[in-house]
Amino acid sequence: MRQRKNYAAIDNFRLLAALLIVAIHTAPLASFSKTADFLVTYCFGRIGVPFFLMVTGYFVLAPYQKKVHSNQGIGTMGKFLKKTVLLYFISTLLYLPLKIYSGNFSHNVWDWMKEIFFDGTFYHLWYLPAVLLGCLLLMALLSFCSPLTVSAVVSVLYIIGVLGDSYYNLVSQVPFLKMVYEAIFQISSYTRNGIFFAPAFLWMGVVLANGKVRISQQRAAAGLAISLAGMLAEGFLSFQLEWQKHNSMYFFLVPVMFYLFELLLSRKGVEVKAVRDLSMYLYIIHPCCIVIVRGAADVLKMSKLFVQQSLVHYIAVCVVSVLLSLILVMGNGILSKWRYYVSQRKGMD
């Protein structure tokens, strides 16, 4: 089937996805209603991370799948993995002082290994080892398994992950399952990691990229509405019945992401190239901006408005995060132009 060429809606949605991730760490509606905040932030807001995983699957892993047994395919993935490792290393260094200051610095080697490979070296950085492990797992599966087998494996892993996340307090009533999950939690604090969570959405991006799945914009919109209602109901039920250990994984999250991505692929628009880097910087620096907003509010004696009022706090963090991210984007653009200028001058000499 003919591949789609216009990805403006996908690229532009990156910013909204990043802002949803900020919401997860600031609880914008908590001042008004804990139930509303849960449904909006910890149900609907959970589309942010899977979206970025699907983008990676669509644009990085899908091309690799076509060239899985060639050096070119390995080279493409190698560049992505190296770039992600470097980003993870820089982000770890950035947050190390804050980690020490907050008293969350681990002195145990095992805890450090657990954080580096699964939990993240700071609370929002778990995504980076998750995407790395998820990609490596899929690369291994693609080398030895058929696409159907890969689908089966990632589906089973995701089911295990959901049961250990939104349904843990329910399934842990079975002694054998409780023992299994306790063993898992010795290695990773949650099942939303690079083994149980990331592979499903990375693989979904690959499947959508191969062009064999395509539905109309109307059906995608209807499917998204129905599955989103199902996810909100699933989240509310598991929350009210106190089944949740965490709230990152839902069964209905899979169809929600499928229809959302299809809907975005079916829409055309004007691409804003800066959004790609802007969303990445926003994701990396927003915890720093939370600290900045809290510190500034304390100095100005305005904590009641900018910290205790959750929606104002969220908006303030978003504004500061976007402004600082724009500065970084512009700085990166100037640096890129300077490098290009220097390389051109060297070529002329």
Side-chain angles (χ1 to χ4, degrees):
M1 210 177 251
R2 182 170 58 86
Q3 286 288 75
R4 291 164 265 211
K5 299 295 183 182
N6 191 306
Y7 301 117
I10 292 288
D11 283 337
N12 295 338
F13 192 82
R14 293 172 191 252
L15 182 57
L16 176 58
L19 293 175
L20 287 174
I21 292 172
V22 177
I24 290 170
H25 299 138
T26 52
L29 300 180
S31 296
F32 307 97
S33 167
K34 289 185 178 180
T35 301
D37 187 63
F38 176 81
L39 291 174
V40 174
T41 306
Y42 302 106
C43 286
F44 178 75
R46 290 304 184 186
I47 68 176
V49 171
F51 170 78
F52 284 116
L53 290 169
M54 290 183 70
V55 168
T56 299
Y58 194 97
F59 294 106
V60 180
L61 270 171
Y64 169 80
Q65 183 196 22
K66 295 177 181 178
K67 304 170 183 177
V68 64
H69 297 295
S70 69
N71 290 330
Q72 188 176 359
I74 296 173
T76 302
M77 278 304 303
K79 290 179 181 178
F80 170 78
L81 294 174
K82 288 178 182 177
K83 183 179 178 181
T84 306
V85 169
L86 179 61
L87 179 62
Y88 190 26
F89 177 72
I90 293 173
S91 300
T92 298
L93 292 181
L94 174 66
Y95 283 98
L96 189 58
L98 190 57
K99 189 178 179 70
I100 295 172
Y101 176 77
S102 64
N104 293 323
F105 185 80
S106 301
H107 297 282
N108 185 289
V109 175
W110 176 254
D111 288 340
W112 259 104
M113 298 296 288
K114 187 177 177 181
E115 290 178 358
I116 290 171
F117 292 104
F118 292 100
D119 293 352
T121 49
F122 206 68
Y123 63 81
H124 70 307
L125 296 179
W126 69 268
Y127 171 82
L128 295 174
V131 73
L132 287 167
L133 282 174
C135 284
L136 290 172
L137 177 59
L138 282 175
M139 289 171 68
L141 289 172
L142 288 169
S143 298
F144 302 103
C145 305
S146 68
L148 185 61
T149 302
V150 175
S151 297
V153 171
V154 299
S155 296
V156 170
L157 289 173
Y158 187 77
I159 291 170
I160 294 171
V162 174
L163 295 179
D165 190 272
S166 289
Y167 295 87
Y168 173 71
N169 290 330
L170 176 65
V171 301
S172 63
Q173 296 177 34
V174 179
F176 172 74
L177 292 178
K178 183 176 182 179
M179 182 179 65
V180 170
Y181 281 108
E182 283 181 348
I184 291 173
F185 295 140
Q186 291 297 313
I187 300 171
S188 175
S189 297
Y190 305 102
T191 51
R192 58 104 170 92
N193 55 40
I195 304 298
F196 301 107
F197 179 75
F201 298 106
L202 289 168
W203 181 242
M204 200 187 307
V206 174
V207 171
L208 290 177
N210 66 25
K212 294 180 181 179
V213 178
R214 188 119 177 227
I215 59 177
S216 68
Q217 187 173 135
Q218 292 74 18
R219 289 185 177 181
L224 175 60
I226 294 169
S227 56
L228 185 56
M231 187 175 76
L232 293 174
E234 179 186 7
F236 182 75
L237 179 66
S238 58
F239 174 70
Q240 288 296 317
L241 295 177
E242 298 183 349
W243 289 344
Q244 297 182 343
K245 172 182 170 67
H246 199 46
N247 45 44
S248 292
M249 302 178 72
Y250 301 106
F251 288 115
F252 271 98
L253 183 57
V254 173
V256 164
M257 296 313 303
F258 170 80
Y259 287 116
L260 173 62
F261 214 83
E262 271 292 308
L263 183 62
L264 292 172
L265 286 171
S266 67
R267 296 179 65 86
K268 295 182 180 180
V270 179
E271 180 184 358
V272 182
K273 292 184 178 180
V275 169
R276 295 185 183 183
D277 288 339
L278 181 65
S279 60
M280 180 194 70
Y281 288 130
L282 202 156
Y283 155 72
I284 294 295
I285 70 170
H286 77 267
C288 285
C289 297
I290 292 174
V291 175
I292 291 171
V293 169
R294 287 178 175 272
D298 186 50
V299 170
L300 298 172
K301 308 297 182 184
M302 300 182 71
S303 295
K304 188 173 182 179
L305 176 63
F306 285 101
V307 177
Q308 296 177 28
Q309 216 302 322
S310 60
L311 184 57
V312 175
H313 177 63
Y314 169 68
I315 293 172
V317 171
C318 287
V319 169
V320 174
S321 299
V322 169
L323 289 176
L324 289 181
S325 297
L326 282 171
I327 292 172
L328 291 171
V329 169
M330 289 187 291
N332 189 46
I334 294 171
L335 184 60
S336 296
K337 289 180 180 179
W338 172 253
R339 287 174 178 171
Y340 176 76
Y341 172 76
V342 170
S343 65
Q344 290 295 102
R345 287 297 302 268
K346 286 183 178 179
M348 294 172 61
D349 293 340

